[in-house]
């Protein structure tokens, strides 16, 4: 490891050549995906950069449906979300994290879910757990789920509040548990 690299993270032991190559390949894959999909992610990036959280949220859903090759949100089934490309989830998460200063993103939502006791076990659909997570994300008030229009679309919203539109599926809790499991399995 170079002296410069050790200065950046002096507490971390030098990585093996294999580990360094694997990290570089992962980074390269993400860069190539972003470059090849500039058209797909460009509008989302612009909306996030402008701090237009609501429009960015809707654009995130549009992009995800395009990736899943589905015309409407309600057409996407929970089993299909388990096949969603990890690279796209990582990229979407990184965009949200970057432009919100780590306030919003799928990884923030996944962290809150796991802190509340959630796992990647798709056979366990715990409505009480999902309600507690919804409370922390600012999606519920007084034990009721808020209509989309009433969510806080500012940086003062609770951590992980957005993207939020994606979670509003006709499959409800089942879709939420399956998507959270996918985030965990993808390491998001």
């Amino acid at each position: 490891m170079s002296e410069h690299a050790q200065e950046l993270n002096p507490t971390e032991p030098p990585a093996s050549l294999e580990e360094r190559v694997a990290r570089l390949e992962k980074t390269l894959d993400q860069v190539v995906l972003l470059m090849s999909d500039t058209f797909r992610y460009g509008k989302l990036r612009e909306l996030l950069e402008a701090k237009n959280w609501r429009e960015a949220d809707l654009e995130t859903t549009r992009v995800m449906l395009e990736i899943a090759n589905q015309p409407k949100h309600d057409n996407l089934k929970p089993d299909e979300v388990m096949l969603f490309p990890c690279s796209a989830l990582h990229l979407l998460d990184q965009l949200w994290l970057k432009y919100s200063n780590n306030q919003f993103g799928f990884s923030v939502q996944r962290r809150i879910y796991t802190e509340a006791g959630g796992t990647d076990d798709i056979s366990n659909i715990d409505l009480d757990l999902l309600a507690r997570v919804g409370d922390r994300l600012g999606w519920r008030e007084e034990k009721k789920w808020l209509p989309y229009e009433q969510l806080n679309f500012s940086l003062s919203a609770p951590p992980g509040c957005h993207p939020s539109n994606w979670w509003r599926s006709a499959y409800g809790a089942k879709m939420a548990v399956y998507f959270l499991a996918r985030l965990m399995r993808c390491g998001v």
Side-chain angles (χ1 to χ4, degrees):
M1 181 180 284
S2 72
E3 288 179 31
H4 179 67
Q6 285 180 331
E7 288 173 13
L8 293 175
N9 198 351
T11 61
E12 189 173 305
S16 70
L17 180 59
E18 291 84 15
E19 291 170 330
R20 289 174 32 210
V21 168
R23 274 189 269 152
L24 285 172
E25 286 177 340
K26 182 178 177 182
T27 301
L28 182 61
D29 285 346
Q30 289 176 342
V31 169
V32 167
L33 178 64
L34 183 58
M35 287 173 44
S36 66
D37 283 341
T38 299
F39 179 74
R40 177 177 282 164
Y41 297 98
K43 183 177 180 184
L44 175 59
R45 188 177 59 250
E46 290 170 9
L47 291 166
L48 289 167
E49 191 172 34
K51 310 293 187 218
N52 189 340
W53 308 118
R54 183 182 178 136
E55 291 303 314
D57 185 35
L58 296 172
E59 179 66 9
T60 299
T61 299
R62 190 201 63 75
V63 167
M64 292 178 74
L65 290 174
E66 180 182 300
I67 292 168
N69 199 28
Q70 291 292 341
K72 292 184 351 187
H73 202 191
D74 291 346
N75 291 3
L76 187 64
K77 296 175 178 66
D79 289 337
E80 295 168 339
V81 84
M82 292 299 290
L83 303 173
F84 204 88
C86 292
S87 58
L89 292 173
H90 279 283
L91 183 55
L92 290 163
D93 184 54
Q94 289 303 309
L95 288 168
W96 275 93
L97 290 171
K98 176 181 178 179
Y99 292 106
S100 71
N101 296 319
N102 298 316
Q103 176 77 1
F104 303 136
F106 290 133
S107 60
V108 180
Q109 295 166 344
R110 191 248 338 123
R111 178 182 46 80
I112 289 168
Y113 178 70
T114 56
E115 286 173 357
T119 69
D120 69 348
D121 179 4
I122 59 174
S123 68
N124 182 22
I125 299 175
D126 183 340
L127 297 178
D128 290 333
L129 171 65
L130 292 175
R132 288 192 311 272
V133 171
D135 290 340
R136 284 191 57 192
L137 295 174
W139 296 351
R140 288 173 30 107
E141 283 183 8
E142 298 176 12
K143 300 185 180 190
K144 293 183 181 169
W145 293 94
L146 293 172
Y148 182 73
E149 299 74 29
Q150 290 182 15
L151 296 179
N152 182 343
F153 288 97
S154 74
L155 275 179
S156 67
C161 186
H162 303 293
S164 54
N165 183 61
W166 169 256
W167 295 93
R168 295 177 183 274
S169 164
Y171 292 94
K174 183 175 182 179
M175 179 62 90
V177 168
Y178 276 54
F179 187 66
L180 286 158
R182 184 62 180 163
L183 291 176
M184 286 184 216
R185 292 173 187 181
C186 288
V188 173

